[in-house]
Amino acid sequence: MLPEYRTIYRGGEDEIVEKKSRFIATVVPVNTEEEALEFVEKTRKKYWDARHNCFAYIIGERGQLQRCSDDGEPNGTAGKPMLDVLLGNELRNVVTRYFGGTLLGTGGLVRAYSGAVKAGLDASVVITKILGVKLHIETDYTTFGKIQYILAQRELKILDTVYTDKVELEVLIPKTDVDQVMHAITEGTNAQAEMTAGEECYYAEIDGVPTILEENII
């Protein structure tokens, strides 16, 4: 599993107009090729009077599956430029073009389809999914401040805090940093804090809040 990768959290739609031709880009997150093709067909029916319904999608953490289609546009002027915008991101995208009566030429088409995808992505919410571990920490009130300082230094946000006769914290930590963070807390508290690393999970910071997206990753 990758330690992190970018993907779409919430899709969006936008359009650009070039010489009276409309290029409408719709971005959605999907998990399988079946979902991607289903969305392509749904969009094709929605824009039934469009001359071309070109698409590009990438599926898999490592972009294992990549597909694109010019759908009747000159070869390499639509699908590939859209795919190029998406490469390196697990993003799913559909672009619908309305022909406005003015030929754009090969270069114009490439720029228009690329620009439409960028506009669609700008209208979407793109996140970085991080492979992490939920760390449970128990400590007394004397060392609580030290732990807060250590976490703040590393820009790690506390998921939950419970105050009783002791303090219990739950923190999301990137898997690659777990050993370092635990070592820093042990040293900083003179081994007065008890820590338990939980199951691996994928999480992301959404609107400034750490949010678990997938738990019990195997």
Side-chain angles (χ1 to χ4, degrees), residues 138-148 188-190 192-193:
E138 292 185 15
T139 186
D140 56 33
Y141 285 87
T142 304
T143 58
F144 177 44
K146 294 179 181 179
I147 293 174
Q148 286 181 306
T189 63
N190 293 318
Q192 295 303 304

Side-chain angles (χ1 to χ4, degrees), residues 97-117:
R97 181 196 184 211
Y98 279 93
F99 186 71
T102 304
L103 293 173
L104 299 181
T106 300
L109 287 173
V110 170
R111 288 190 296 273
Y113 277 106
S114 298
V117 173

Side-chain angles (χ1 to χ4, degrees), residues 8 18 20 45 51 59 64 69 73 77 81-82 92 106 130 135 143 156 177 197 200:
I8 291 292
E18 291 287 339
K20 300 181 181 180
K45 290 178 180 178
R51 218 174 245 234
I59 296 175
Q64 299 95 314
S69 169
E73 291 282 29
T77 61
M82 292 191 293
R92 293 79 171 111
T106 300
I130 302 169
L135 184 66
T143 58
L156 298 171
D177 298 341
E200 294 180 6

Side-chain angles (χ1 to χ4, degrees), residues 18-204:
E18 291 287 339
K19 297 182 180 179
K20 300 181 181 180
S21 289
R22 296 175 64 199
F23 294 79
I24 305 170
T26 307
V27 179
V28 295
V30 297
N31 295 313
T32 65
E33 185 169 27
E34 289 72 22
E35 289 180 14
L37 294 175
E38 182 179 339
F39 183 75
V40 169
E41 187 58 31
K42 179 181 177 181
T43 305
R44 195 186 305 277
K45 290 178 180 178
K46 178 180 179 181
Y47 297 108
W48 59 271
D49 55 341
R51 218 174 245 234
H52 307 280
N53 282 278
C54 309
F55 64 83
Y57 56 82
I58 300 173
I59 296 175
E61 295 175 10
R62 292 177 170 79
Q64 299 95 314
L65 182 61
Q66 302 174 14
R67 296 283 187 272
C68 64
S69 169
D70 294 314
D71 194 38
E73 291 282 29
N75 185 42
T77 61
K80 184 62 166 59
M82 292 191 293
L83 187 62
D84 287 342
V85 175
L86 302 182
L87 280 173
N89 300 277
E90 190 184 348
L91 308 176
R92 293 79 171 111
N93 181 273
V94 175
V95 170
T96 299
R97 181 196 184 211
Y98 279 93
F99 186 71
T102 304
L103 293 173
L104 299 181
T106 300
L109 287 173
V110 170
R111 288 190 296 273
Y113 277 106
S114 298
V117 173
K118 291 175 183 175
L121 292 179
D122 288 342
S124 306
V125 177
V126 181
I127 60 173
T128 299
K129 291 178 70 171
I130 302 169
L131 181 61
V133 171
K134 193 186 295 183
L135 184 66
H136 183 80
I137 307 170
E138 292 185 15
T139 186
D140 56 33
Y141 285 87
T142 304
T143 58
F144 177 44
K146 294 179 181 179
I147 293 174
Q148 286 181 306
Y149 177 74
I150 291 169
L151 297 177
Q153 273 190 317
R154 290 162 174 75
E155 298 183 346
L156 298 171
K157 295 185 178 180
I158 298 172
L159 276 180
D160 190 28
T161 308
V162 177
Y163 301 94
T164 55
D165 58 327
K166 57 186 176 182
V167 183
E168 296 183 53
L169 304 89
E170 206 160 56
V171 186
L172 276 174
I173 301 176
K175 184 182 177 182
T176 53
D177 298 341
V178 171
D179 290 341
Q180 290 181 2
V181 172
M182 292 180 72
H183 178 73
I185 292 174
T186 298
E187 291 232 320
T189 63
N190 293 318
Q192 295 303 304
E194 294 183 14
M195 293 172 283
T196 306
E199 298 286 345
E200 294 180 6
C201 63
Y202 269 117
Y203 72 95

